Amino acid sequence: MERESKVSMTVIRRLPKYYRYLGELLNKGINRISSQELSKLTGFTASQIRQDLNNFGGFGQQGYGYNVDELKTELGKILGLDKCYNTVIAGAGNLGQAVANYKGFEDAGFKVLSLFDKNPKLIGLKIRDIEIKDVDEMAKFIEENDVEIGIITTPKNNAQDIADIYSKSGIKGIWNFAPADIKVPETIVVENVHLNESLFILSYFLKNHILPEGGF
Ligand code: NAI
């Protein structure tokens, strides 16, 4: 843990991509890969990949490359994917329901136990087999069900209220989709997701590709 905490965020943010490609390789029955081959797949240079993985002890062998299964397992451990997390979703509208509907999160170990909303028309409905409950019951539910991750998919004006409930009821990490800078105690980790930032980057690339040389 000590060593991992010193690894830069830039490296940490590349690990899920390695993890995903290694999973795809395993699905194709490939169990050995060189850093050059990984480089072709991921778009990172081979030396970058070796440097990244050296932060955690290397894993590769000169002249052999990497054992895909072993490397995926080790990266999974580093990312904390070797355990399951109980999660809840606050805000059972379009996005909250979409997140609950996606079984892939559950397959990766993130189980949505319940959605919570304040709209009486939604309370009692089910998304897959996951019930939407009254947000007033959320704190108690979190405490009683060992919930570690709270997801925020409410409008931005309600995001801080939800973050406060999460903070007080023992949530350890918040996956925040609301476009709001929530404040929480230092012991809680917040990961903000902004799909539109990614979309704006796409727009940037489109703009720059369609410009004639020396444009503007
Ligand atoms: P929506 O209006 O369909 O759903 C919001 C839900 O939150 C509603 O069901 C509403 O009743 C509920 N709600 C409001 N206050 C609440 C409270 N105090 N406690 C519990 N539930 C409460 O909205 P939509 O489209 O699902 O978007 C949800 C949030 O996600 C918005 O903040 C939106 O800006 C954000 N968003 C973020 C994206 C991203 O990339 N991060 C992409 C799309 C949406």
Side-chain angles (χ1 to χ4, degrees):
M1 278 314 272
E2 181 67 10
R3 181 182 55 197
E4 286 165 26
S5 64
K6 289 187 190 142
V7 177
S8 83
M9 273 317 290
T10 326
V11 175
I12 302 287
R13 290 202 180 275
R14 280 199 283 268
L15 296 185
K17 189 163 180 177
Y18 294 136
Y19 187 80
R20 177 163 57 86
Y21 277 108
L22 291 166
E24 285 174 14
L25 287 169
L26 274 187
N27 287 340
K28 288 182 195 155
I30 299 169
N31 204 31
R32 177 178 161 183
I33 191 156
S34 65
S35 44
Q36 284 80 10
E37 288 164 321
L38 255 183
S39 162
K40 276 190 213 139
L41 280 176
T42 58
F44 306 132
T45 65
S47 75
Q48 178 91 82
I49 292 169
R50 282 193 297 269
Q51 268 178 36
D52 284 354
L53 298 177
N54 276 341
N55 281 297
F56 306 98
F59 312 121
Q61 278 173 35
Q62 202 136 32
Y64 176 87
Y66 298 98
N67 177 300
V68 177
D69 196 14
E70 269 174 35
L71 183 56
K72 180 170 178 273
T73 304
E74 289 306 319
L75 292 186
K77 282 187 201 161
I78 290 162
L79 288 166
L81 300 176
D82 53 339
K83 63 166 280 189
C84 286
Y85 296 89
N86 287 338
T87 76
V88 292
I89 298 175
N94 292 307
L95 188 57
Q97 293 193 20
V99 172
N101 243 322
Y102 180 54
K103 203 174 159 294
F105 295 134
E106 186 172 325
D107 295 343
F110 301 87
K111 186 164 175 54
V112 179
L113 298 187
S114 184
L115 295 115
F116 292 91
D117 207 286
K118 66 173 189 183
N119 181 350
K121 288 187 185 143
L122 292 174
I123 294 165
L125 298 180
K126 283 190 175 175
I127 309 301
R128 295 194 290 136
D129 57 346
I130 310 164
E131 194 178 337
I132 303 175
K133 298 181 196 291
D134 190 329
V135 71
D136 290 344
E137 297 169 20
M138 190 166 76
K140 190 162 174 272
F141 184 94
I142 290 169
E143 284 160 18
E144 288 176 354
N145 289 279
D146 196 22
V147 178
E148 290 185 79
I149 296 178
I151 300 170
I152 302 181
T153 48
T154 60
K156 68 174 181 184
N157 293 342
N158 307 90
Q160 187 60 51
D161 289 346
I162 298 298
D164 291 344
I165 300 175
Y166 282 161
S167 306
K168 284 180 194 144
S169 48
I171 285 283
K172 293 180 184 155
I174 296 178
W175 202 24
N176 175 37
F177 285 83
D181 292 320
I182 54 169
K183 293 189 176 57
V184 293
E186 278 177 7
T187 48
I188 297 175
V189 187
V190 179
E191 178 67 16
N192 296 300
V193 185
H194 298 303
L195 297 182
N196 51 359
E197 287 179 8
S198 171
L199 199 55
F200 295 167
I201 298 296
L202 176 67
S203 158
Y204 170 85
F205 285 127
L206 285 177
K207 178 183 169 187
N208 286 282
H209 281 140
I210 57 173
L211 274 177
E213 242 181 40
F216 293 101

